[in-house]
Structures are given as C-alpha cells and as structure tokens.
Amino acid sequence: TMAVVGGSATAPASGRTERIFRFSTKPKGESIGNQVIEGVNAEGVRNVTTIEAGSLGNDRPIRIVTESWYSPELQMVIMSKHSDPMTGDETFRLTNISRSEPAAYLFQLPAGYQVTDRK
C-alpha cells in the first residue's frame, strides 16, 4: 500500500508517474453512505471502471475501483482508496485533524527580524 498526499504518485517498479486524484473537489459517482473519519463527517463515493476483456491483451475484464470520502465541513477529500490490479492498491488518508486555533507563537516574527517598508 502506498500513501498518497498529493495529486500524483510514482509507481516504484516502473518509475512512471500517474495522475490519481484531485483532492480539492467533491468526487462524483455512486454514493456509498456517510461515516466519521478522524472525527470528521464524510460522504463516500465509489467509481468503478471496467476494462473489457481483450482491450489490453487481458483475458478477462479488469475492474478498477476508486473510493473517496469527502468532508463538506472541510471541503476536501479526507480519505481515498484506489484499487487497480495492474498497479496495486493506493490509499490516501488525512490523519491527526485538528481544528483548534493554532498557537500564537507560530505567527510571531523571529528574534532580530525587522519589517521594513519598501518604496
């Protein structure tokens, strides 16, 4: 299983890069219900693509399944799974989701740093 954080992944064996998901938009497909993931409500969608037998020299149909869990509250996909017999299984999962206020020190200027106005 390979965790995917961005919109593409490199298959280790072949070195080729494939487009996997767009995480910023709500996926379309067959609804598979709702569940709470990492404390966040998410809506599930499944897309199934079938490559017919003989299309790629395959002797039987190849079934590719993509499952995405979208959070309307966060407006992003928080978990997705992609299963393809030709490339294997891939999983993306957002973990340790914290919606609390970030610490104030993260926004303070470092010691000795000066802000100047350029004209």
Side-chain angles (χ1 to χ4, degrees), residues 95-116:
T95 59
N96 300 322
I97 299 170
S98 174
R99 291 176 282 173
S100 62
E101 193 69 29
Y105 76 88
L106 294 172
F107 300 95
Q108 294 174 351
L109 295 176
Y113 185 84
Q114 293 182 352
V115 177
T116 57

